[in-house]
Amino acid sequence: MGNIKKYVFSYNELENDSLLHTKDKLLLSKAKEVTAKAYAPYSDFFVGAAALLSNKKIVTATNQENASFPAGICAERVLLSTITSLYGEAAIDTLAISYINHKNNKSDHPISPCGICRQSLMEYQLRVKHPIRLILAGMKGKVIIIDDASFLLPLNFSGDDMA
Ligand code: THU
């Protein structure tokens, strides 16, 4: 028999970015802008990420690919490594992610972090003991706001499991 458990989470979906608060709109605009600095000659999929830290700094990053494909790194993980290298255990209040697909120049819906990045976001927030709020959006179209990145990784594995 066992116990059937249910996992449910809520997120906010906006019709477009004009409905965002000023600070969030600015952060998303930084994520959009920085996509231009992605190094993505293999996928042509340019991703930009921007984080507002609790120390009020904004840090941006992009995906960095490699001819040896698995050596490529997503924008989210480049961002986390940059933040921790610059500021140590800095709490991230909000992290915005945007992109443009240069194969067809489309960017009309939100994308959400890949599985490996979800694991990295999880570890980052456990480490600094502060939830990361996510804003996900293309250059146009709907915007998704998720209050805590851990919502994207139910039943996650962490260092605590190895204690
Ligand atoms: N990518 C990111 O940087 N972040 C995501 O959330 C999804 C995928 C990158 C990895 C690769 O360089 C390209 O987009 C295509 O997968």
Side-chain angles (χ1 to χ4, degrees), residues 26-39 46-51 58-64 75-76 78-79 96-100 102 139:
L26 174 81
L27 195 66
L28 179 58
S29 75
K30 299 256 181 212
K32 290 179 181 180
E33 204 179 291
V34 79
T35 57
K37 294 200 176 118
Y39 176 62
F46 286 44
V47 183
I58 289 180
V59 183
T60 60
T62 56
N63 54 329
Q64 300 295 315
E76 293 89 331
V78 173
L79 183 62
I97 302 163
S98 192
Y99 71 97
I100 178 150
H102 278 302
M139 295 291 168

Side-chain angles (χ1 to χ4, degrees), residues 40 43 45 47 63-65 73-76 97 111-114 117:
S43 70
F45 197 78
V47 183
N63 54 329
Q64 300 295 315
E65 296 186 349
I73 319 176
C74 294
E76 293 89 331
I97 302 163
I111 58 161
S112 98
C114 78
C117 288

Side-chain angles (χ1 to χ4, degrees), residues 12-23:
N12 195 4
E13 189 184 78
L14 309 176
E15 270 315 301
N16 58 64
D17 64 8
S18 71
L19 299 164
L20 285 171
H21 295 297
T22 313
K23 255 166 64 175

Side-chain angles (χ1 to χ4, degrees), residues 41-135:
Y42 304 103
S43 70
D44 262 348
F45 197 78
F46 286 44
V47 183
L52 174 65
L53 310 183
S54 296
N55 68 16
K56 306 296 173 212
K57 306 271 187 197
I58 289 180
V59 183
T60 60
T62 56
N63 54 329
Q64 300 295 315
E65 296 186 349
N66 193 285
S68 170
F69 292 179
I73 319 176
C74 294
E76 293 89 331
R77 275 174 295 135
V78 173
L79 183 62
L80 296 179
S81 306
T82 305
I83 292 168
T84 205
S85 303
L86 287 172
Y87 300 111
E89 298 203 343
I92 301 172
D93 284 340
T94 305
L95 198 167
I97 302 163
S98 192
Y99 71 97
I100 178 150
N101 182 350
H102 278 302
K103 275 205 174 104
N104 50 19
N105 285 324
K106 272 176 94 171
S107 177
D108 57 3
H109 66 277
I111 58 161
S112 98
C114 78
I116 299 175
C117 288
R118 290 175 194 214
Q119 182 72 28
S120 296
L121 289 162
M122 185 74 223
E123 178 123 359
Y124 193 96
Q125 45 172 81
L126 285 172
R127 181 177 165 208
V128 307
K129 299 181 180 62
H130 188 83
I132 301 173
R133 182 170 162 266
L134 298 173
I135 300 177

Side-chain angles (χ1 to χ4, degrees), residues 140-153:
K140 61 179 188 186
K142 291 191 169 129
V143 178
I144 285 175
I145 302 174
I146 301 170
D147 282 338
D148 184 328
S150 72
F151 294 171
L152 291 178
L153 201 61

